[in-house]
Amino acid sequence: DPKIIQKPKYLVAVTGSEKILICEQYLGHNAMYWYRQSAKKPLEFMFSYSYQKLMDNQTASSRFQPQSSKKNHLDLQITALKPDDSATYFCASSPDWGVYEQYFGPGTRLTVL
Amino acid sequence: TQTVSQSDAHVTVFEGDSVELRCNYSYGGSIYLSWYIQHHGHGLQFLLKYYSGNPVVQGVNGFEAEFSKSDSSFHLRKASVHWSDSAVYFCAVRGNNNAPRFGAGTKLSVKP
């Protein structure tokens, strides 16, 4: 059974719209993360959460907003979508926030037209 | 600011060969280094890590990496590669309480 679920697997959106990327982990971890991977840039760290609290935010744009309704959920809301937002978005988790190995989900591939 | 550099974008070897994938970093304080593997169309999978102690660390599937403070390096090695090792390998570095930074990745192609 998959331990980290990301939904949807593929997502197509139009410029200016808003989408929510879903992430749930069933590893019992206390820390969760979002990353972005595109052809133009290497894997890019976006956010980290620990016990549902924001720990790091490396994303300059406020259009990207994480949402944590439960400790094992960390969704990513993206507003006013732009073509440059096209990328694969990976969710990850670790036992606790800090120097632990991270477990990655399968990713959501977002294409903005 | 920590940075991580993977100088080889693509490495091609034959099955059974040994391989070394290079990773160099720059960071002034205590750091945590790790390697991840990404097969095509999948998320990253953890291979191994170094934080302190023995500079040679063993990972899954016969991989090992060696930390060198003098060279600011954390190269990944495998003595005998298999075709299933074909993937993209990412080196990552983070300091205490800092966000992790990943290298650009090295694509390893193993020919039969």
Side-chain angles (χ1 to χ4, degrees):
Chain A
D1 291 334
K3 301 297 185 184
I4 300 183
I5 296 172
Q6 288 191 246
K7 293 184 286 190
K9 187 172 176 64
Y10 300 99
L11 185 57
V12 179
V14 296
T15 297
S17 66
E18 172 183 316
K19 292 294 179 185
I20 296 180
L21 281 55
I22 306 294
C23 177
E24 306 169 7
Q25 57 92 2
Y26 296 94
L27 294 163
H29 289 170
N30 298 317
M32 295 185 71
Y33 313 82
W34 275 103
Y35 292 85
R36 176 170 52 194
Q37 185 178 46
S38 68
K40 299 177 185 177
K41 295 183 180 180
L43 192 66
E44 180 185 7
F45 169 83
M46 298 179 73
F47 300 97
S48 68
Y49 268 65
S50 176
Y51 290 93
Q52 296 183 264
K53 290 186 179 180
L54 179 67
M55 302 299 289
D56 280 308
N57 178 357
Q58 298 288 324
T59 303
S61 174
S62 59
R63 297 186 298 107
F64 294 85
Q65 291 292 329
Q67 299 172 342
S68 180
S69 59
K70 301 179 188 178
K71 192 180 80 172
N72 69 325
H73 283 231
L74 186 64
D75 300 335
L76 182 63
Q77 180 186 40
I78 314 174
T79 58
L81 279 160
K82 303 177 180 180
D84 270 355
D85 297 331
S86 297
T88 299
Y89 291 80
F90 290 102
C91 175
S93 70
S94 62
D96 278 297
W97 187 85
V99 291
Y100 294 92
E101 57 265 35
Q102 297 184 8
Y103 296 77
F104 283 74
T108 292
R109 187 167 178 176
L110 172 66
T111 301
V112 183
L113 304 175
Chain B
T1 302
Q2 70 261 31
T3 63
V4 57
S5 170
Q6 292 181 248
S7 54
D8 299 315
H10 201 164
V11 172
T12 301
V13 296
F14 288 94
E15 201 166 28
D17 285 351
S18 63
V19 70
E20 179 178 86
L21 305 181
R22 293 180 293 190
C23 174
N24 290 88
Y25 65 89
S26 67
Y27 188 69
S30 299
I31 58 170
Y32 172 87
L33 294 153
S34 51
W35 277 95
Y36 289 79
I37 180 175
Q38 184 181 31
H39 289 283
H40 182 70
H42 294 271
L44 278 69
Q45 288 179 271
F46 173 79
L47 278 180
L48 47 74
K49 66 183 178 187
Y50 173 81
Y51 186 57
S52 63
N54 189 336
V56 179
V57 291
Q58 306 295 323
V60 297
N61 296 334
F63 284 97
E64 68 173 30
E66 183 167 3
F67 167 70
S68 171
K69 187 173 182 179
S70 59
D71 293 340
S72 297
S73 68
F74 188 57
H75 302 329
L76 181 71
R77 300 188 294 248
K78 186 168 183 178
S80 178
V81 295
H82 187 263
W83 65 266
S84 61
D85 294 324
S86 295
V88 181
Y89 291 79
F90 291 93
C91 179
V93 59
R94 67 177 294 180
N96 287 333
N97 300 325
N98 283 341
R101 289 196 183 275
F102 284 78
T106 296
K107 183 175 182 179
L108 176 64
S109 296
V110 180
K111 293 187 173 182

